[in-house]
Amino acid sequence: QKEVEQDPGPLSVPEGAIVSLNCTYSNSAFQYFMWYRQYSRKGPELLMYTYSSGNKEDGRFTAQVDKSSKYISLFIRDSQPSDSATYLCAMRPNDYKLSFGAGTTVTVRA
Amino acid sequence: DAGITQSPRHKVTETGTPVTLRCHQTENHRYMYWYRQDPGHGLRLIHYSYGVKDTDKGEVSDGYSVSRSKTEDFLLTLESATSSQTSVYFCAIRGEGEDTQYFGPGTRLTVL
């Protein structure tokens, strides 16, 4: 079983919809949680970063972490075609070795 | 963009040949990483470096070696390429005390 599970999708939504992405994990030592966005044929770039449980909002993006359920989420409000990308969750314990989910491919239709 | 370049960007090679991929950074960051990305597996760590001549294995290190003789360069070598090493390879860098890893543009490697 993988340490981090992420539904690969693909996910297709109309412009303006809310996109909901999530990951589950099995390692209770994970303390730091991230979401990376990866456009086609590009390297991943950090989108959101959260320490421990709680919510974090940045513009149209909200990241949630529920450590009791070992579940993290990313919500994209008012989605735009430019949000079409693959979204990868990543997490780590107190060392700096990241464990990544497989990525969810999102297409926002104009 | 973070100052990371990877070369070559694309390579096709034959089974059994050695291959070296290069990662070059202009940020003077201490930590450098090599990942491979495959469908259904996400990014998996191959090797990483925490300083010049200081390297360690990651999750999928078999068949790969690395070297770091200068802060700015981190080389990944496939000693004898196999078809299972067909993948997209990403280099990443991280500064001391920072959490963010910055990724390069990737190298698409095909082993026939």
Side-chain angles (χ1 to χ4, degrees), chain A residues 15-71:
Chain A
E15 184 174 358
I18 295 175
V19 176
S20 173
L21 305 168
N22 57 77
C23 291
T24 59
Y25 63 94
S26 57
N27 188 345
S28 58
F30 288 145
Q31 298 282 351
Y32 301 84
F33 303 90
M34 287 144 257
W35 287 93
Y36 280 80
R37 178 175 61 196
Q38 184 177 21
Y39 291 115
S40 181
R41 305 272 175 163
K42 301 287 188 183
E45 55 180 344
L46 184 68
L47 191 61
M48 296 287 283
Y49 168 86
T50 310
Y51 169 67
S52 195
S53 285
N55 293 356
K56 184 173 183 178
E57 191 170 314
D58 184 1
R60 297 184 294 109
F61 298 89
T62 300
Q64 291 183 349
V65 175
D66 182 348
K67 289 185 67 180
S68 63
S69 301
K70 296 190 177 66
Y71 186 90

Side-chain angles (χ1 to χ4, degrees), chain A residues 36 44 46, chain B residues 1-2 4 29 91-95 98 100-104:
Chain A
Y36 280 80
L46 184 68
Chain B
D1 291 342
I4 312 170
H29 282 345
C91 173
I93 63 174
R94 180 175 67 83
E98 294 182 16
T100 304
Q101 291 190 21
Y102 297 94
F103 285 82

Side-chain angles (χ1 to χ4, degrees), chain A residues 2 32 34 36 38 41-46 49 86 88 92 96-103, chain B residues 9-10 33 35 37 40-43 45 48 57 90 94 97-101 103-105 108:
Chain A
K2 295 178 186 176
Y32 301 84
M34 287 144 257
Y36 280 80
Q38 184 177 21
R41 305 272 175 163
K42 301 287 188 183
E45 55 180 344
L46 184 68
Y49 168 86
T86 296
L88 304 112
R92 67 169 183 88
Y96 285 90
K97 292 181 188 175
L98 289 177
S99 293
F100 284 86
Chain B
R9 294 293 313 280
H10 303 271
Y33 305 81
Y35 292 90
Q37 187 174 36
H41 290 278
L43 286 155
L45 182 65
Y48 65 100
K57 296 179 180 180
F90 287 100
R94 180 175 67 83
E98 294 182 16
D99 220 321
T100 304
Q101 291 190 21
F103 285 82
R108 190 168 294 269

